[in-house]
Amino acid sequence: MGILFKQYLSGDKIYTCSQCKTHCTEHTQLISKAFQGRHGRAYLFSEVVNVTLGPREDRMLITGLHTVVDIHCITCNSVLGWKYEVAYEESQKYKEGKFILEKAKVMKEGSW
């Protein structure tokens, strides 16, 4: 294990890990709040930072079969959500490469 490099975001509205307050993404990266996670509501983002990726797995979700990887906070290793790798339904292809952050796993910082 080497030195941990974290990216600090400078926007007005930042989403952080609820456990350790590590920056995850800016509000400008939000695509939709109309998603469901394992622990309730979830948000779809175009980009996140300060996460590591777990192993790829096929998961049956509400909208069909997807290949996903769990995303973990780089600081405390909490599972924050997942990244869509492959969507098998044509109507779900827009999710590929996007990230789900569960509302229960993140908090808002800044001037909301």
Side-chain angles (χ1 to χ4, degrees):
M1 177 114 187
I3 297 172
L4 183 64
F5 290 99
K6 289 195 270 186
Q7 187 172 348
Y8 293 91
L9 303 172
S10 59
D12 294 2
K13 299 176 179 179
I14 306 291
Y15 290 87
T16 65
C17 172
S18 63
Q19 296 296 310
C20 67
K21 313 297 185 280
T22 295
H23 288 190
C24 295
T25 191
E26 295 179 341
H27 185 68
T28 57
Q29 301 298 320
L30 180 66
I31 297 169
S32 175
K33 291 183 176 183
F35 280 78
Q36 189 68 26
R38 292 183 196 155
H39 306 284
R41 293 191 50 176
Y43 305 139
L44 182 69
F45 289 93
S46 57
E47 292 199 22
V48 299
V49 297
N50 299 324
V51 296
T52 57
L53 303 178
R56 289 172 63 119
E57 64 179 77
D58 287 337
R59 198 175 290 166
M60 183 57 76
L61 302 171
I62 294 171
T63 55
L65 183 64
H66 297 79
T67 300
V68 299
V69 293
D70 283 340
I71 56 175
H72 303 260
C73 175
I74 199 169
T75 304
C76 69
N77 206 37
S78 293
V79 176
L80 302 175
W82 62 85
K83 178 183 180 185
Y84 289 102
E85 295 283 321
V86 179
Y88 294 100
E89 301 286 333
E90 192 61 38
S91 65
Q92 302 300 308
K93 292 284 187 188
Y94 75 96
K95 295 177 184 175
E96 291 181 346
K98 306 293 190 301
F99 299 86
I100 288 290
L101 289 178
E102 298 203 47
K103 185 177 179 183
K105 302 291 186 165
V106 294
M107 57 189 309
K108 298 176 180 179
E109 259 187 28
S111 53
W112 292 85

